[in-house]
């Protein structure tokens, strides 16, 4: 048996293993649809290698070739589809599917109608190369700052595309008839590139999924379950970084510390479920007023903080007053009852670049304390 046979057996078995791994990942890690697409992609690869192994048993060479080509293209399409779903990419999969049909029709034409060895051997590879490069772009543009796993995957897809481009071009150079020298070189490059890329892409995709899971766990650890705001731990981490960044850009930064007035009375009258509903609805109203760069956190029972950057101290105070009037504008409905809600606000203008976030919170808390003792439903400002 030739070395090629053993390479194909290895590719077949590893494809099945990767497919099972991604299927298990789908089942155990939140049933993300892109995991299913990646499982299907590697199963397509397994079918491709199985088809090549069974080549002697096909009566029609054309049918064998089209089947193998279909599995090759299907594997790359499904992989691209998975990356597109994960990255919420605007790419139109319908266009890629239409191009696949056109490519497959061209392969059939040059295989069965107007025979041209170079074209029927290379066209589908060029299609695969296009999708590999699209995958690299989708992955690297997924986030403003790519994860190490994403960078590795994008590089692997790109290198695989370059190597396959060389192989496809050598195959194309055969022309209409088989050229054994070019065919041998094509086979050599193909069977060096494909197994390496096959394993590399699978490993990096698993690395991407593990990185995604780590980020989700970190986000969960930093998120208040009830209100979906950042929790105290998250605010101390994110807030300090944002504070340093904004002050280094010489933007006016303010911290707003607020809590719901007489919250204990709300809990006593409407129960803790009623109190929870007040917290949920109050945070929704506040969140609707925020800019995308504002940081909003729940740091205790009915206590919240917001870190904002505005044009001036006056704008920060006006913003806090807007939040105050928004909360008091209408009652919160709970089980056909209407709960009047107000809140008090302490605003601290931060000018010192070396201040720690916990110190800023303490200062804003003192301003809030004054607001409470002046009758509640008020905004009190201070400056560091």
């Amino acid at each position: 048996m030739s070395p090629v046979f053993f390479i194909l057996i290895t590719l077949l078995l590893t494809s099945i293993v990767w497919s099972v791994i991604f299927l298990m990942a789908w089942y155990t890690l939140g049933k993300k649809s892109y995991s299913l697409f990646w499982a299907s992609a590697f199963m397509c690869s397994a079918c491709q290698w199985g088809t090549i192994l069974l080549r002697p048993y096909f009566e029609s060479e054309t049918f064998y070739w089209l089947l193998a080509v279909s599995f090759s293209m299907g594997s790359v399409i499904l992989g691209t589809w998975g990356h597109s779903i994960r990255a919420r990419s605007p790419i139109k999969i319908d266009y890629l599917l239409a191009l696949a049909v056109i490519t497959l029709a061209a392969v059939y034409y040059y295989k069965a109608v107007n025979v041209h060895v170079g074209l029927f051997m290379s066209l589908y590879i060029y299609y695969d190369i296009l999708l590999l490069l699209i995958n690299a772009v989708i992955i690297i543009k997924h986030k403003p700052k790519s994860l190490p796993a994403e960078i590795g995957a994008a590089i692997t897809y790109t290198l695989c595309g370059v190597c396959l481009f060389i192989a496809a071009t050598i195959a194309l150079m055969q022309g209409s008839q088989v050229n054994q020298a070019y065919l041998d070189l094509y086979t050599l490059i193909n069977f060096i590139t494909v197994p390496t890329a096959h394993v590399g892409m699978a490993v990096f995709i698993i690395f991407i999924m593990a990185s995604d899971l780590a980020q989700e766990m970190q986000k969960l650890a930093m998120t208040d379950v009830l209100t979906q705001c950042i929790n105290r731990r998250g605010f101390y981490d994110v807030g300090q970084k944002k504070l340093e960044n904004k002050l280094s850009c010489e933007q006016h930064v303010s911290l707003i510390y607020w809590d719901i007035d007489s919250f204990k009375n709300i809990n006593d009258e409407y129960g803790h479920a009623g109190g929870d509903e007040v917290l949920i609805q109050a945070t929704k109203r506040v969140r609707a007023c925020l800019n995308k760069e504002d940081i909003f956190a729940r740091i205790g029972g009915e206590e919240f903080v917001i870190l904002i950057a505005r044009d001036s101290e006056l704008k920060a105070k006006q913003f806090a007053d807007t939040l105050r009037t928004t909360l008091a504008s209408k009652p919160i409905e709970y089980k056909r009852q209407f709960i009047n809600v107000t809140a008090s606000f302490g605003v601290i203008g931060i000018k010192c670049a070396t201040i720690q976030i916990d110190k800023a919170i303490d200062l804003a808390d003192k301003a809030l304390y004054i607001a409470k003792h002046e009758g509640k439903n008020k905004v009190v400002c201070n400056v560091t």
Side-chain angles (χ1 to χ4, degrees), residues 1 64 138 178 284:
M1 292 184 182
Y64 152 74
I138 289 174
V178 174
K284 284 182 179 179

Side-chain angles (χ1 to χ4, degrees), residues 228-279:
Q228 296 304 302
C229 299
I230 298 174
N231 59 22
R232 177 185 288 269
R233 172 185 173 184
F235 184 74
Y236 274 60
D237 182 22
V238 178
Q240 186 65 50
K241 293 176 183 176
K242 181 72 75 172
L243 181 61
E244 293 168 358
N245 176 260
K246 292 299 182 184
L247 286 173
S248 67
C249 297
E250 297 184 351
Q251 290 182 285
H252 182 82
V253 181
S254 295
L255 188 140
I256 302 172
Y257 194 143
W258 64 277
D259 74 2
I260 296 172
D261 295 328
S262 306
F263 188 70
K264 182 178 183 303
N265 294 339
I266 293 174
N267 270 337
D268 290 343
E269 185 172 351
Y270 300 97
H272 288 287
D276 287 348
E277 184 64 20
V278 167
L279 292 171

Side-chain angles (χ1 to χ4, degrees), residues 150-161:
E150 292 174 320
I151 295 171
I155 291 173
T156 301
Y157 277 110
T158 302
L159 291 177
C160 179

Side-chain angles (χ1 to χ4, degrees), residues 6 28 67 73 125 141 151 154 157 200 220 242 244 293 347:
F6 292 105
T28 58
L67 189 61
M73 294 169 65
I125 302 178
K141 286 192 171 183
I151 295 171
Y157 277 110
L220 184 62
K242 181 72 75 172
E244 293 168 358
E293 292 190 353
V347 183

Side-chain angles (χ1 to χ4, degrees), residues 55-199:
R55 181 176 185 175
Y57 300 97
F58 282 88
E59 294 182 2
S60 169
E61 178 69 16
T62 299
F63 177 70
Y64 152 74
W65 189 256
L66 289 176
L67 189 61
V69 167
S70 297
F71 283 132
S72 174
M73 294 169 65
S75 174
V76 183
I77 290 171
L78 289 167
T80 304
W81 208 329
H83 284 296
S84 177
I85 291 172
R86 174 184 174 268
R88 296 181 177 87
S89 170
I91 190 168
K92 301 292 185 182
I93 295 296
D94 291 350
Y95 295 162
L96 298 181
L97 290 171
L99 183 59
V101 172
I102 294 170
T103 303
L104 194 60
V107 170
Y108 172 78
Y109 177 77
Y110 289 113
K111 176 68 177 174
V113 180
N114 184 14
V115 177
H116 190 289
V117 175
L119 285 172
F120 79 68
M121 285 187 66
S122 63
L123 282 176
Y124 80 95
I125 302 178
Y126 285 124
Y127 176 84
D128 288 352
I129 293 166
L130 173 64
L131 264 64
L132 288 172
L133 296 180
I134 288 174
N135 272 321
V137 173
I138 289 174
I139 293 168
I140 212 69
K141 286 192 171 183
H142 177 216
K143 298 174 183 174
K145 185 178 180 180
S146 299
L147 299 168
E150 292 174 320
I151 295 171
I155 291 173
T156 301
Y157 277 110
T158 302
L159 291 177
C160 179
V162 170
C163 292
L164 286 179
F165 179 81
I166 295 171
T169 303
I170 291 171
L172 182 62
M173 289 169 65
Q174 293 180 104
S176 59
Q177 302 296 323
V178 174
N179 182 309
Q180 194 60 45
Y182 286 138
L183 182 61
D184 291 343
L185 186 56
Y186 158 81
T187 302
L188 176 64
I189 295 174
N190 219 21
F191 279 98
I192 290 175
T193 301
V194 172
T196 305
H198 184 71
V199 174

